[in-house]
Amino acid sequence: MEERNLCGNKGNMKEFFVLLQRREIGGDIQLKKEREFTMRIYKAETYEEMSKKAANMIFAQMILKPDCVLGLATGSSPVGIYDRLVEWYQTGDLDFSQVTTVNLDEYRGLAPDNDQSYRYFMNSHLFDRVNIDKSRTFVPDGLAENAEEECKRYDALIQSMGGVDLQLLGIGHNGHIGFNEPGDVFEKGTHCVALQKSTIEANKRFFASAEEVPEYAYTMGIGTIMQAKKILLIVSGKEKASIVKEAFLGPVTPAVPASILQMHRDVTLVGDKDALSEIEG
Ligand code: GLP
């Protein structure tokens, strides 16, 4: 039988995850106390304030490194951030000409011009509105014939960029990041996943019906996300409050994929007061 560890496929993160696994087996994990790094948490009053704070961090990254690699996300949460970035581009404060972007995920089977595809989302919310070179914006190819090949291609692409400088993340109601759904292992690289019913339910609001939500999606793996130099997680709304508590105050477990972020050395969580209401104090 194939050797298994907490990381779904083999690689140089193996030891890291094995160590993590041992800590889990040991019972209560005291990650917060054992580790040297502390997550920064910014509480905003509103979605608008959350968006502005998070956009400011992306602004800072782009000023410090104009040719940075930004890892980008879709969903309702980042829309306000992209609006802010566009505003700052329009006022001449931001220049995207040297930036490279790589997106977290894409539905399998959707064409780039399908208005529910994540490529379409990124074009309409950001790329078509700023001076980015579109040939340096990457999203998995929803129409790739061979899923395995597409995953390999996407991983190789990220490696060739030298990794991600700043990764923007949202969080799903079940704790997913990208489309890394809850499971038994943390998947390291890009993979094609069967979406959980709860994810299809949550995302059907963007489609005519739940039946139209694709059943499969490509997602960057947890290993790749963890290799980003900085992580910026945004969260908004009361309905995310309990998963935020589970992810950041609970055990690190692949059953709550976002919990792995407790192990990253540079994570900033920006949330509105509703989303952070259960981790205050
Ligand atoms: C989707 C995306 C995730 C996103 C999450 C939360 O399924 N694949 O990348 O973070 O859902 O989305 P929202 O911000 O709309 O709540």
Side-chain angles (χ1 to χ4, degrees):
M1 225 176 96
E2 205 182 88
E3 190 190 346
R4 294 251 293 185
N5 55 48
L6 267 191
C7 192
N9 34 17
K10 295 168 194 158
N12 59 7
M13 292 186 76
K14 181 176 169 181
E15 281 180 20
F16 171 72
F17 287 117
V18 167
L19 176 69
L20 182 60
Q21 190 175 33
R22 284 208 204 105
R23 287 181 181 185
E24 281 222 307
I25 290 165
D28 276 359
I29 357 176
Q30 298 290 317
L31 291 170
K32 286 275 184 315
K33 292 185 188 111
E34 281 173 26
R35 69 199 185 103
E36 295 163 42
F37 315 111
T38 335
M39 178 182 295
R40 283 178 295 276
I41 302 180
Y42 287 102
K43 186 163 82 171
E45 279 299 305
T46 59
Y47 174 83
E48 286 68 35
E49 195 191 326
M50 173 198 85
S51 303
K52 191 175 171 190
K53 268 192 200 299
N56 261 308
M57 289 176 203
I58 298 176
F59 185 109
Q61 173 68 66
M62 288 174 62
I63 295 295
L64 288 170
K65 190 179 177 194
D67 60 348
C68 61
V69 177
L70 297 177
L72 297 180
T74 53
S76 311
S77 310
V79 169
I81 297 177
Y82 296 146
D83 286 343
R84 281 279 162 180
L85 295 177
V86 170
E87 250 174 70
W88 291 330
Y89 162 70
Q90 286 167 344
T91 53
D93 295 307
L94 266 188
D95 173 19
F96 286 79
S97 62
Q98 296 179 63
V99 171
T100 298
T101 67
V102 59
N103 261 76
L104 280 170
D105 45 17
E106 178 60 288
Y107 289 113
R108 180 149 203 237
L110 295 194
D113 60 354
N114 182 310
D115 62 5
Q116 295 310 327
S117 75
Y118 286 167
R119 162 53 79 178
Y120 188 96
F121 175 103
M122 289 310 304
N123 285 348
S124 52
H125 286 283
L126 185 66
F127 303 152
D128 287 341
R129 303 164 74 196
V130 297
N131 66 333
I132 200 159
D133 175 353
K134 276 263 195 77
S135 69
R136 281 218 298 271
T137 66
F138 300 97
V139 180
D141 177 3
L143 292 186
E145 280 187 16
N146 183 323
E148 210 175 308
E149 286 303 313
E150 175 57 11
C151 294
K152 279 192 201 147
R153 184 193 71 85
Y154 208 63
D155 278 340
L157 186 78
I158 299 168
Q159 290 308 317
S160 72
M161 294 170 190
V164 171
D165 291 301
L166 174 66
Q167 178 66 56
L168 176 64
L169 291 178
I171 182 171
H173 294 87
N174 59 4
H176 72 221
I177 45 178
F179 268 132
N180 288 279
E181 296 282 40
D184 299 333
V185 293
F186 289 114
E187 296 274 354
K188 185 185 171 216
T190 303
H191 53 289
C192 187
V193 287
L195 299 178
Q196 291 200 344
K197 272 210 171 98
S198 62
T199 300
I200 292 178
E201 271 303 300
N203 290 3
K204 74 176 185 196
R205 67 190 194 277
F206 300 113
F207 293 79
S209 67
E211 287 67 51
E212 284 189 25
V213 184
E215 287 174 29
Y216 292 90
Y218 292 105
T219 183
M220 211 187 257
I222 292 289
T224 311
I225 292 173
M226 289 296 284
Q227 281 169 356
K229 294 180 188 89
K230 289 182 195 316
I231 291 184
L232 170 57
L233 182 92
I234 46 160
V235 61
S236 156
K238 194 89 195 151
E239 71 286 354
K240 296 268 178 82
S242 63
I243 195 64
V244 169
K245 182 179 179 189
E246 248 187 89
F248 300 110
L249 298 182
V252 174
T253 162
V256 182
S259 65
I260 192 71
L261 300 175
Q262 294 181 39
M263 301 299 288
H264 195 281
R265 59 172 60 228
D266 193 341
V267 179
T268 304
L269 167 61
V270 184
D272 63 18
K273 63 173 189 221
D274 287 341
L276 301 186
S277 56
E278 292 192 25
I279 61 168
E280 286 170 325

